[in-house]
Amino acid sequence: MIRRRLLLHVGVLIAACLMGLPLSLRGQAARSMPARLSDQEFWKMVTEFSEPDGTFRSDNLLSNESGLQNVIPELLKTAKTGGVYMGVGPEQNFTYIAALKPAMVFIVDIRRGNLDLHLLYKALFELSADRSDFVSRLFARERPEGLSKKSTAQEIFDSYAHASQNETLYAETLKAVKNQLVGKRGFVLSKDDLDGIEHVYHAFATYGPDIQYTSTGRGGFAGGSIGGPRGGFGGRGPQVTYAALMSAKDVDGRARSYLASEESFAFLKKLEANNLLVPVVGDFAGP
């Protein structure tokens, strides 16, 4: 425990120091960072940096902050590109990463479920050719006709709005995800992690692009046409949907979600392919 916490704190200090350096020195630090991590190096970081699983009041599968992009224009005035990004939680990190373009990323969260969520995302980024393909896999919906690399996020999610979940695509994608992580990458995933990935994917496939922060309960799901390993759907509330988060704009009217452009998607895809987005379990509140 002490060793893992020390490693985690070292990571925090590295990130803080890099982001606080003058631009010229920060560039030198970024150039000294690895261009990629091997699968073994990545998994060693995930396992050795991580602490035991903690608890949180919800699954927290997506952000509940509709205005999360509003801070980006101001953030870009001080936080330059090429540093080390550290974040917590689900997909809102991708939107900030797409804007800040760091050289390396650590996602730290108290829940092991967040690590499983990011492993699912990692596999989907690596398997998907473009944004529309990614959305198709993420929500287990057949890709509608007419979408292209020039389509806006609004156009993409409008096209998927009436698409139904596809059980065959769900099963094929889940199998491909597990093969990508275990077969190709060689990550030693426990049964709990494999069940956790399936738990997360079942939620996205069941609710589709209308999934909200409150769509799932703390304990899991029940119901829906696609089978999953856990039980108990939670209540719903007036939260922002995934589709709305991806179609939102910042205070200047600029679309900045990670699915707003192929450029942003490609940046995340490259980070994931190079094993430079590392999810770990950690409790900043202390033991």
Side-chain angles (χ1 to χ4, degrees), residues 15-46:
C17 290
L18 282 176
M19 296 309 292
L21 286 174
L23 181 57
S24 59
L25 295 180
R26 190 185 304 141
Q28 294 174 22
R31 286 193 295 273
S32 69
M33 295 174 61
R36 69 179 304 276
L37 296 175
S38 69
D39 294 336
Q40 294 75 19
E41 290 169 333
F42 172 88
W43 195 243
K44 185 176 182 179
M45 278 190 175
V46 170

PDB file of all heavy atoms in Angstrom, residues 15-46:
ATOM      1  N   ALA A  15       3.409  15.336 -12.880  1.00  0.00           N
ATOM      2  CA  ALA A  15       2.428  16.085 -13.659  1.00  0.00           C
ATOM      3  C   ALA A  15       2.411  17.550 -13.253  1.00  0.00           C
ATOM      4  O   ALA A  15       2.401  18.453 -14.094  1.00  0.00           O
ATOM      5  CB  ALA A  15       1.040  15.477 -13.477  1.00  0.00           C
ATOM      6  N   ALA A  16       2.417  17.802 -11.955  1.00  0.00           N
ATOM      7  CA  ALA A  16       2.370  19.182 -11.461  1.00  0.00           C
ATOM      8  C   ALA A  16       3.599  19.966 -11.890  1.00  0.00           C
ATOM      9  O   ALA A  16       3.514  21.121 -12.304  1.00  0.00           O
ATOM     10  CB  ALA A  16       2.247  19.187  -9.940  1.00  0.00           C
ATOM     11  N   CYS A  17       4.752  19.313 -11.798  1.00  0.00           N
ATOM     12  CA  CYS A  17       5.989  19.996 -12.173  1.00  0.00           C
ATOM     13  C   CYS A  17       6.031  20.308 -13.666  1.00  0.00           C
ATOM     14  O   CYS A  17       6.414  21.404 -14.072  1.00  0.00           O
ATOM     15  CB  CYS A  17       7.188  19.136 -11.790  1.00  0.00           C
ATOM     16  SG  CYS A  17       7.466  19.016 -10.005  1.00  0.00           S
ATOM     17  N   LEU A  18       5.644  19.333 -14.477  1.00  0.00           N
ATOM     18  CA  LEU A  18       5.673  19.559 -15.919  1.00  0.00           C
ATOM     19  C   LEU A  18       4.737  20.675 -16.324  1.00  0.00           C
ATOM     20  O   LEU A  18       5.077  21.535 -17.134  1.00  0.00           O
ATOM     21  CB  LEU A  18       5.302  18.275 -16.652  1.00  0.00           C
ATOM     22  CG  LEU A  18       6.401  17.213 -16.767  1.00  0.00           C
ATOM     23  CD1 LEU A  18       5.850  15.967 -17.427  1.00  0.00           C
ATOM     24  CD2 LEU A  18       7.602  17.726 -17.522  1.00  0.00           C
ATOM     25  N   MET A  19       3.532  20.693 -15.762  1.00  0.00           N
ATOM     26  CA  MET A  19       2.569  21.710 -16.151  1.00  0.00           C
ATOM     27  C   MET A  19       2.966  23.081 -15.621  1.00  0.00           C
ATOM     28  O   MET A  19       2.528  24.108 -16.124  1.00  0.00           O
ATOM     29  CB  MET A  19       1.168  21.335 -15.646  1.00  0.00           C
ATOM     30  CG  MET A  19       0.621  20.048 -16.279  1.00  0.00           C
ATOM     31  SD  MET A  19       0.717  20.017 -18.080  1.00  0.00           S
ATOM     32  CE  MET A  19      -0.478  21.280 -18.494  1.00  0.00           C
ATOM     33  N   GLY A  20       3.828  23.120 -14.586  1.00  0.00           N
ATOM     34  CA  GLY A  20       4.245  24.399 -14.033  1.00  0.00           C
ATOM     35  C   GLY A  20       5.519  24.952 -14.636  1.00  0.00           C
ATOM     36  O   GLY A  20       5.923  26.073 -14.341  1.00  0.00           O
ATOM     37  N   LEU A  21       6.193  24.172 -15.477  1.00  0.00           N
ATOM     38  CA  LEU A  21       7.433  24.623 -16.090  1.00  0.00           C
ATOM     39  C   LEU A  21       7.189  25.708 -17.129  1.00  0.00           C
ATOM     40  O   LEU A  21       6.126  25.748 -17.748  1.00  0.00           O
ATOM     41  CB  LEU A  21       8.128  23.450 -16.781  1.00  0.00           C
ATOM     42  CG  LEU A  21       8.818  22.405 -15.894  1.00  0.00           C
ATOM     43  CD1 LEU A  21       9.302  21.252 -16.761  1.00  0.00           C
ATOM     44  CD2 LEU A  21       9.979  23.014 -15.124  1.00  0.00           C
ATOM     45  N   PRO A  22       8.159  26.587 -17.343  1.00  0.00           N
ATOM     46  CA  PRO A  22       8.081  27.497 -18.486  1.00  0.00           C
ATOM     47  C   PRO A  22       7.957  26.686 -19.766  1.00  0.00           C
ATOM     48  O   PRO A  22       8.392  25.534 -19.833  1.00  0.00           O
ATOM     49  CB  PRO A  22       9.423  28.241 -18.432  1.00  0.00           C
ATOM     50  CG  PRO A  22       9.867  28.114 -17.009  1.00  0.00           C
ATOM     51  CD  PRO A  22       9.360  26.781 -16.539  1.00  0.00           C
ATOM     52  N   LEU A  23       7.397  27.308 -20.800  1.00  0.00           N
ATOM     53  CA  LEU A  23       7.114  26.599 -22.038  1.00  0.00           C
ATOM     54  C   LEU A  23       8.352  25.934 -22.624  1.00  0.00           C
ATOM     55  O   LEU A  23       8.316  24.784 -23.037  1.00  0.00           O
ATOM     56  CB  LEU A  23       6.507  27.560 -23.060  1.00  0.00           C
ATOM     57  CG  LEU A  23       6.124  26.948 -24.417  1.00  0.00           C
ATOM     58  CD1 LEU A  23       5.140  25.804 -24.222  1.00  0.00           C
ATOM     59  CD2 LEU A  23       5.544  28.020 -25.325  1.00  0.00           C
ATOM     60  N   SER A  24       9.488  26.635 -22.624  1.00  0.00           N
ATOM     61  CA  SER A  24      10.696  26.074 -23.229  1.00  0.00           C
ATOM     62  C   SER A  24      11.172  24.835 -22.477  1.00  0.00           C
ATOM     63  O   SER A  24      11.534  23.818 -23.078  1.00  0.00           O
ATOM     64  CB  SER A  24      11.809  27.126 -23.263  1.00  0.00           C
ATOM     65  OG  SER A  24      12.101  27.567 -21.942  1.00  0.00           O
ATOM     66  N   LEU A  25      11.181  24.904 -21.150  1.00  0.00           N
ATOM     67  CA  LEU A  25      11.618  23.766 -20.349  1.00  0.00           C
ATOM     68  C   LEU A  25      10.603  22.643 -20.393  1.00  0.00           C
ATOM     69  O   LEU A  25      10.967  21.470 -20.363  1.00  0.00           O
ATOM     70  CB  LEU A  25      11.860  24.197 -18.897  1.00  0.00           C
ATOM     71  CG  LEU A  25      12.992  25.198 -18.676  1.00  0.00           C
ATOM     72  CD1 LEU A  25      13.120  25.523 -17.203  1.00  0.00           C
ATOM     73  CD2 LEU A  25      14.313  24.637 -19.208  1.00  0.00           C
ATOM     74  N   ARG A  26       9.319  22.999 -20.443  1.00  0.00           N
ATOM     75  CA  ARG A  26       8.282  21.971 -20.514  1.00  0.00           C
ATOM     76  C   ARG A  26       8.443  21.164 -21.799  1.00  0.00           C
ATOM     77  O   ARG A  26       8.236  19.960 -21.820  1.00  0.00           O
ATOM     78  CB  ARG A  26       6.894  22.612 -20.462  1.00  0.00           C
ATOM     79  CG  ARG A  26       5.772  21.609 -20.294  1.00  0.00           C
ATOM     80  CD  ARG A  26       4.434  22.282 -20.378  1.00  0.00           C
ATOM     81  NE  ARG A  26       4.316  23.349 -19.419  1.00  0.00           N
ATOM     82  CZ  ARG A  26       3.708  24.495 -19.672  1.00  0.00           C
ATOM     83  NH1 ARG A  26       3.183  24.706 -20.855  1.00  0.00           N
ATOM     84  NH2 ARG A  26       3.630  25.427 -18.750  1.00  0.00           N
ATOM     85  N   GLY A  27       8.809  21.839 -22.878  1.00  0.00           N
ATOM     86  CA  GLY A  27       9.018  21.139 -24.131  1.00  0.00           C
ATOM     87  C   GLY A  27      10.168  20.147 -24.028  1.00  0.00           C
ATOM     88  O   GLY A  27      10.096  19.042 -24.552  1.00  0.00           O
ATOM     89  N   GLN A  28      11.258  20.546 -23.322  1.00  0.00           N
ATOM     90  CA  GLN A  28      12.378  19.633 -23.130  1.00  0.00           C
ATOM     91  C   GLN A  28      11.951  18.419 -22.316  1.00  0.00           C
ATOM     92  O   GLN A  28      12.339  17.290 -22.612  1.00  0.00           O
ATOM     93  CB  GLN A  28      13.520  20.356 -22.412  1.00  0.00           C
ATOM     94  CG  GLN A  28      14.143  21.481 -23.232  1.00  0.00           C
ATOM     95  CD  GLN A  28      15.160  22.265 -22.432  1.00  0.00           C
ATOM     96  OE1 GLN A  28      15.706  21.766 -21.449  1.00  0.00           O
ATOM     97  NE2 GLN A  28      15.424  23.489 -22.843  1.00  0.00           N
ATOM     98  N   ALA A  29      11.130  18.655 -21.271  1.00  0.00           N
ATOM     99  CA  ALA A  29      10.656  17.549 -20.446  1.00  0.00           C
ATOM    100  C   ALA A  29       9.776  16.607 -21.255  1.00  0.00           C
ATOM    101  O   ALA A  29       9.875  15.388 -21.139  1.00  0.00           O
ATOM    102  CB  ALA A  29       9.883  18.090 -19.243  1.00  0.00           C
ATOM    103  N   ALA A  30       8.921  17.184 -22.093  1.00  0.00           N
ATOM    104  CA  ALA A  30       8.026  16.362 -22.899  1.00  0.00           C
ATOM    105  C   ALA A  30       8.822  15.508 -23.883  1.00  0.00           C
ATOM    106  O   ALA A  30       8.481  14.352 -24.135  1.00  0.00           O
ATOM    107  CB  ALA A  30       7.027  17.242 -23.637  1.00  0.00           C
ATOM    108  N   ARG A  31       9.892  16.083 -24.447  1.00  0.00           N
ATOM    109  CA  ARG A  31      10.694  15.331 -25.413  1.00  0.00           C
ATOM    110  C   ARG A  31      11.423  14.159 -24.764  1.00  0.00           C
ATOM    111  O   ARG A  31      11.812  13.207 -25.427  1.00  0.00           O
ATOM    112  CB  ARG A  31      11.690  16.262 -26.109  1.00  0.00           C
ATOM    113  CG  ARG A  31      11.054  17.187 -27.139  1.00  0.00           C
ATOM    114  CD  ARG A  31      12.112  17.843 -28.009  1.00  0.00           C
ATOM    115  NE  ARG A  31      12.977  18.730 -27.250  1.00  0.00           N
ATOM    116  CZ  ARG A  31      12.711  20.008 -27.021  1.00  0.00           C
ATOM    117  NH1 ARG A  31      11.578  20.547 -27.476  1.00  0.00           N
ATOM    118  NH2 ARG A  31      13.546  20.757 -26.341  1.00  0.00           N
ATOM    119  N   SER A  32      11.649  14.222 -23.439  1.00  0.00           N
ATOM    120  CA  SER A  32      12.321  13.144 -22.741  1.00  0.00           C
ATOM    121  C   SER A  32      11.366  12.026 -22.363  1.00  0.00           C
ATOM    122  O   SER A  32      11.797  10.969 -21.897  1.00  0.00           O
ATOM    123  CB  SER A  32      13.005  13.687 -21.474  1.00  0.00           C
ATOM    124  OG  SER A  32      12.034  14.082 -20.515  1.00  0.00           O
ATOM    125  N   MET A  33      10.081  12.223 -22.551  1.00  0.00           N
ATOM    126  CA  MET A  33       9.092  11.214 -22.236  1.00  0.00           C
ATOM    127  C   MET A  33       9.026  10.173 -23.341  1.00  0.00           C
ATOM    128  O   MET A  33       9.370  10.452 -24.487  1.00  0.00           O
ATOM    129  CB  MET A  33       7.725  11.871 -22.022  1.00  0.00           C
ATOM    130  CG  MET A  33       7.684  12.795 -20.826  1.00  0.00           C
ATOM    131  SD  MET A  33       6.123  13.671 -20.723  1.00  0.00           S
ATOM    132  CE  MET A  33       5.012  12.269 -20.568  1.00  0.00           C
ATOM    133  N   PRO A  34       8.596   8.960 -23.018  1.00  0.00           N
ATOM    134  CA  PRO A  34       8.545   7.912 -24.039  1.00  0.00           C
ATOM    135  C   PRO A  34       7.515   8.214 -25.116  1.00  0.00           C
ATOM    136  O   PRO A  34       6.454   8.781 -24.840  1.00  0.00           O
ATOM    137  CB  PRO A  34       8.153   6.665 -23.240  1.00  0.00           C
ATOM    138  CG  PRO A  34       7.426   7.194 -22.044  1.00  0.00           C
ATOM    139  CD  PRO A  34       8.118   8.486 -21.695  1.00  0.00           C
ATOM    140  N   ALA A  35       7.812   7.827 -26.334  1.00  0.00           N
ATOM    141  CA  ALA A  35       6.857   7.983 -27.428  1.00  0.00           C
ATOM    142  C   ALA A  35       5.744   6.957 -27.313  1.00  0.00           C
ATOM    143  O   ALA A  35       4.650   7.151 -27.830  1.00  0.00           O
ATOM    144  CB  ALA A  35       7.566   7.845 -28.770  1.00  0.00           C
ATOM    145  N   ARG A  36       6.024   5.867 -26.637  1.00  0.00           N
ATOM    146  CA  ARG A  36       5.032   4.842 -26.369  1.00  0.00           C
ATOM    147  C   ARG A  36       5.510   3.972 -25.216  1.00  0.00           C
ATOM    148  O   ARG A  36       6.700   3.975 -24.882  1.00  0.00           O
ATOM    149  CB  ARG A  36       4.764   3.974 -27.608  1.00  0.00           C
ATOM    150  CG  ARG A  36       5.909   3.071 -28.001  1.00  0.00           C
ATOM    151  CD  ARG A  36       5.571   2.222 -29.219  1.00  0.00           C
ATOM    152  NE  ARG A  36       4.363   1.433 -29.008  1.00  0.00           N
ATOM    153  CZ  ARG A  36       4.347   0.249 -28.391  1.00  0.00           C
ATOM    154  NH1 ARG A  36       5.475  -0.265 -27.887  1.00  0.00           N
ATOM    155  NH2 ARG A  36       3.230  -0.424 -28.271  1.00  0.00           N
ATOM    156  N   LEU A  37       4.585   3.253 -24.604  1.00  0.00           N
ATOM    157  CA  LEU A  37       4.918   2.257 -23.598  1.00  0.00           C
ATOM    158  C   LEU A  37       4.629   0.880 -24.180  1.00  0.00           C
ATOM    159  O   LEU A  37       3.651   0.691 -24.908  1.00  0.00           O
ATOM    160  CB  LEU A  37       4.071   2.451 -22.342  1.00  0.00           C
ATOM    161  CG  LEU A  37       4.249   3.749 -21.541  1.00  0.00           C
ATOM    162  CD1 LEU A  37       3.238   3.798 -20.406  1.00  0.00           C
ATOM    163  CD2 LEU A  37       5.665   3.864 -20.994  1.00  0.00           C
ATOM    164  N   SER A  38       5.468  -0.071 -23.849  1.00  0.00           N
ATOM    165  CA  SER A  38       5.177  -1.436 -24.253  1.00  0.00           C
ATOM    166  C   SER A  38       3.955  -1.923 -23.476  1.00  0.00           C
ATOM    167  O   SER A  38       3.558  -1.338 -22.457  1.00  0.00           O
ATOM    168  CB  SER A  38       6.372  -2.352 -23.965  1.00  0.00           C
ATOM    169  OG  SER A  38       6.540  -2.522 -22.565  1.00  0.00           O
ATOM    170  N   ASP A  39       3.351  -3.000 -23.946  1.00  0.00           N
ATOM    171  CA  ASP A  39       2.204  -3.553 -23.240  1.00  0.00           C
ATOM    172  C   ASP A  39       2.584  -3.951 -21.818  1.00  0.00           C
ATOM    173  O   ASP A  39       1.808  -3.758 -20.873  1.00  0.00           O
ATOM    174  CB  ASP A  39       1.657  -4.771 -23.990  1.00  0.00           C
ATOM    175  CG  ASP A  39       1.081  -4.398 -25.343  1.00  0.00           C
ATOM    176  OD1 ASP A  39       0.682  -3.226 -25.520  1.00  0.00           O
ATOM    177  OD2 ASP A  39       1.041  -5.270 -26.224  1.00  0.00           O
ATOM    178  N   GLN A  40       3.781  -4.479 -21.650  1.00  0.00           N
ATOM    179  CA  GLN A  40       4.232  -4.900 -20.324  1.00  0.00           C
ATOM    180  C   GLN A  40       4.436  -3.690 -19.412  1.00  0.00           C
ATOM    181  O   GLN A  40       4.069  -3.716 -18.226  1.00  0.00           O
ATOM    182  CB  GLN A  40       5.533  -5.706 -20.432  1.00  0.00           C
ATOM    183  CG  GLN A  40       5.403  -7.048 -21.142  1.00  0.00           C
ATOM    184  CD  GLN A  40       5.282  -6.916 -22.658  1.00  0.00           C
ATOM    185  OE1 GLN A  40       5.641  -5.870 -23.238  1.00  0.00           O
ATOM    186  NE2 GLN A  40       4.796  -7.964 -23.307  1.00  0.00           N
ATOM    187  N   GLU A  41       5.025  -2.617 -19.945  1.00  0.00           N
ATOM    188  CA  GLU A  41       5.239  -1.405 -19.148  1.00  0.00           C
ATOM    189  C   GLU A  41       3.919  -0.774 -18.749  1.00  0.00           C
ATOM    190  O   GLU A  41       3.744  -0.334 -17.600  1.00  0.00           O
ATOM    191  CB  GLU A  41       6.087  -0.405 -19.945  1.00  0.00           C
ATOM    192  CG  GLU A  41       7.533  -0.835 -20.123  1.00  0.00           C
ATOM    193  CD  GLU A  41       8.262   0.022 -21.136  1.00  0.00           C
ATOM    194  OE1 GLU A  41       7.610   0.580 -22.061  1.00  0.00           O
ATOM    195  OE2 GLU A  41       9.493   0.133 -21.022  1.00  0.00           O
ATOM    196  N   PHE A  42       2.988  -0.724 -19.681  1.00  0.00           N
ATOM    197  CA  PHE A  42       1.667  -0.163 -19.399  1.00  0.00           C
ATOM    198  C   PHE A  42       0.985  -0.944 -18.288  1.00  0.00           C
ATOM    199  O   PHE A  42       0.503  -0.366 -17.306  1.00  0.00           O
ATOM    200  CB  PHE A  42       0.820  -0.193 -20.673  1.00  0.00           C
ATOM    201  CG  PHE A  42      -0.623   0.183 -20.472  1.00  0.00           C
ATOM    202  CD1 PHE A  42      -1.030   1.509 -20.540  1.00  0.00           C
ATOM    203  CD2 PHE A  42      -1.587  -0.795 -20.225  1.00  0.00           C
ATOM    204  CE1 PHE A  42      -2.364   1.856 -20.362  1.00  0.00           C
ATOM    205  CE2 PHE A  42      -2.923  -0.461 -20.046  1.00  0.00           C
ATOM    206  CZ  PHE A  42      -3.314   0.875 -20.114  1.00  0.00           C
ATOM    207  N   TRP A  43       0.936  -2.249 -18.415  1.00  0.00           N
ATOM    208  CA  TRP A  43       0.207  -3.055 -17.434  1.00  0.00           C
ATOM    209  C   TRP A  43       0.901  -3.047 -16.074  1.00  0.00           C
ATOM    210  O   TRP A  43       0.245  -3.122 -15.035  1.00  0.00           O
ATOM    211  CB  TRP A  43       0.029  -4.482 -17.947  1.00  0.00           C
ATOM    212  CG  TRP A  43      -1.003  -5.228 -17.161  1.00  0.00           C
ATOM    213  CD1 TRP A  43      -0.824  -6.333 -16.392  1.00  0.00           C
ATOM    214  CD2 TRP A  43      -2.393  -4.887 -17.059  1.00  0.00           C
ATOM    215  NE1 TRP A  43      -2.011  -6.708 -15.807  1.00  0.00           N
ATOM    216  CE2 TRP A  43      -2.996  -5.836 -16.209  1.00  0.00           C
ATOM    217  CE3 TRP A  43      -3.180  -3.876 -17.610  1.00  0.00           C
ATOM    218  CZ2 TRP A  43      -4.350  -5.806 -15.891  1.00  0.00           C
ATOM    219  CZ3 TRP A  43      -4.542  -3.847 -17.297  1.00  0.00           C
ATOM    220  CH2 TRP A  43      -5.101  -4.798 -16.439  1.00  0.00           C
ATOM    221  N   LYS A  44       2.222  -2.939 -16.073  1.00  0.00           N
ATOM    222  CA  LYS A  44       2.945  -2.833 -14.809  1.00  0.00           C
ATOM    223  C   LYS A  44       2.570  -1.550 -14.092  1.00  0.00           C
ATOM    224  O   LYS A  44       2.383  -1.539 -12.863  1.00  0.00           O
ATOM    225  CB  LYS A  44       4.460  -2.883 -15.050  1.00  0.00           C
ATOM    226  CG  LYS A  44       5.282  -2.904 -13.766  1.00  0.00           C
ATOM    227  CD  LYS A  44       6.765  -3.061 -14.061  1.00  0.00           C
ATOM    228  CE  LYS A  44       7.574  -3.132 -12.766  1.00  0.00           C
ATOM    229  NZ  LYS A  44       9.024  -3.303 -13.024  1.00  0.00           N
ATOM    230  N   MET A  45       2.438  -0.453 -14.842  1.00  0.00           N
ATOM    231  CA  MET A  45       1.990   0.809 -14.234  1.00  0.00           C
ATOM    232  C   MET A  45       0.582   0.670 -13.672  1.00  0.00           C
ATOM    233  O   MET A  45       0.307   1.098 -12.552  1.00  0.00           O
ATOM    234  CB  MET A  45       2.023   1.938 -15.264  1.00  0.00           C
ATOM    235  CG  MET A  45       3.356   2.576 -15.483  1.00  0.00           C
ATOM    236  SD  MET A  45       3.191   4.081 -16.487  1.00  0.00           S
ATOM    237  CE  MET A  45       4.875   4.669 -16.432  1.00  0.00           C
ATOM    238  N   VAL A  46      -0.318   0.098 -14.464  1.00  0.00           N
ATOM    239  CA  VAL A  46      -1.707  -0.061 -14.027  1.00  0.00           C
ATOM    240  C   VAL A  46      -1.765  -0.855 -12.733  1.00  0.00           C
ATOM    241  O   VAL A  46      -2.480  -0.475 -11.787  1.00  0.00           O
ATOM    242  CB  VAL A  46      -2.541  -0.759 -15.120  1.00  0.00           C
ATOM    243  CG1 VAL A  46      -3.921  -1.141 -14.587  1.00  0.00           C
ATOM    244  CG2 VAL A  46      -2.688   0.147 -16.331  1.00  0.00           C
TER     245      VAL A  46
END
